[in-house]
Amino acid sequence: MGVPEPRGGAEIVHRIVLLRHGDTEWASTGRHTGPTDIPLTDLGRTQARAAGRALAHLDLRDPLVISSPRMRALDTAELAGLTVDRAWDAVAEWDYGDYEGLTTPQIRTRAPDWTVWTHPCPGGEQTDHILARADLVLSVAHSQLTRRDVVVVGHGHFSRALLARWIELPVIEGRRFAMAPGAYSTLGFEHGATQVLAHNVTEHLRSPGPARDAEAEAEQGEGAHR
């Protein structure tokens, strides 16, 4: 991805924050979840709220919030206290085609050594389509950075593709990045060069504290009636 230089030599100080949605039943069992609209688990809802408190500490400036249109992403944004400006198909997760809902071990009974980064998804998206989508999303986000921050609420594999493309690596190198449910990464610049400023931040998920304990109890109560 070619990232244009800011006009007049001004250094861009705004950031892109990639926030992965919270836990879902399929995510927790390793099932590939593309277009299937799976809701957050109680844990996922707690993770989303915790992510919102963590993002508040970033002091984001008038952020443009772009979300995948999937329920798990939109609900994460809402629970994190974010107002979605645009629900956009371009931010959706990889379409796994025939492998939707399957785990990697199950897929490998059909295609040995399969990974989404190195092998095709029959009936789904291939890496060239993911590259085009990632570059489009980053181009739109980059166009806002002279005046505001951008938050992209999305998914595991596609967020990892965005990370790779931001630092001008091929999509396949998304395999080098982790992205846990409820985690976030921050993209920015140093002296005009694109950088990953923080990656797969999960401290907010590992330190319960009194507020999260209370929320977890409330979530358990809600879950009993769903």
Side-chain angles (χ1 to χ4, degrees):
M1 183 194 70
V3 177
E5 291 289 335
R7 292 183 180 179
E11 186 164 358
I12 294 179
V13 297
H14 296 104
R15 298 151 291 175
I16 300 172
V17 177
L18 306 179
L19 172 62
R20 183 182 174 186
H21 65 75
D23 185 61
T24 69
E25 182 181 352
W26 280 22
S28 64
T29 55
R31 298 173 68 181
H32 287 78
T33 319
T36 306
D37 229 357
I38 300 294
L40 298 174
T41 61
D42 288 345
L43 173 60
R45 293 170 66 84
T46 299
Q47 290 171 334
R49 289 194 176 99
R53 291 194 295 275
L55 295 187
H57 292 296
L58 296 182
D59 294 323
L60 298 173
R61 302 182 192 178
D62 185 28
L64 172 70
V65 180
I66 302 170
S67 176
S68 160
R70 303 292 173 253
M71 172 172 50
R72 56 195 183 273
L74 291 170
D75 287 351
T76 294
E78 180 181 2
L79 290 164
L82 300 169
T83 299
V84 174
D85 297 294
R86 182 178 185 182
W88 192 16
D89 284 334
V91 184
E93 181 59 294
W94 211 301
D95 185 342
Y96 303 109
D98 296 350
Y99 296 152
E100 180 80 0
L102 300 181
T103 66
T104 296
Q106 289 172 329
I107 297 170
R108 286 180 172 177
T109 64
R110 311 182 189 183
D113 301 320
W114 181 89
T115 75
V116 72
W117 308 105
T118 56
H119 291 65
C121 292
E125 287 185 292
Q126 315 312 324
T127 53
D128 57 346
H129 191 193
I130 296 299
L131 182 149
R133 281 210 284 128
D135 284 2
L136 173 62
V137 170
L138 291 175
S139 175
V140 169
H142 182 272
S143 73
Q144 301 294 309
L145 294 181
T146 56
R147 59 186 182 277
R148 66 199 304 198
D149 293 305
V150 177
V151 180
V152 179
V153 186
H155 306 270
H157 278 142
F158 190 67
S159 292
R160 294 163 68 185
L162 290 172
L163 281 155
R165 294 303 296 151
W166 181 252
I167 55 174
E168 302 183 48
L169 295 177
V171 167
I172 188 176
E173 298 306 332
R175 60 185 173 169
R176 310 291 182 185
F177 300 96
M179 198 72 179
Y184 72 87
S185 295
T186 309
L187 311 180
F189 297 86
E190 184 181 59
H191 305 310
T194 55
Q195 279 194 339
V196 177
L197 303 177
H199 174 55
N200 196 36
V201 178
T202 57
E203 282 80 1
H204 55 285
L205 307 176
R206 296 198 295 266
S207 303
R212 280 198 60 206
D213 288 343
E215 284 176 3
E217 291 176 5
E219 286 292 337
Q220 288 174 2
E222 287 180 22
H225 301 286
R226 279 207 290 267

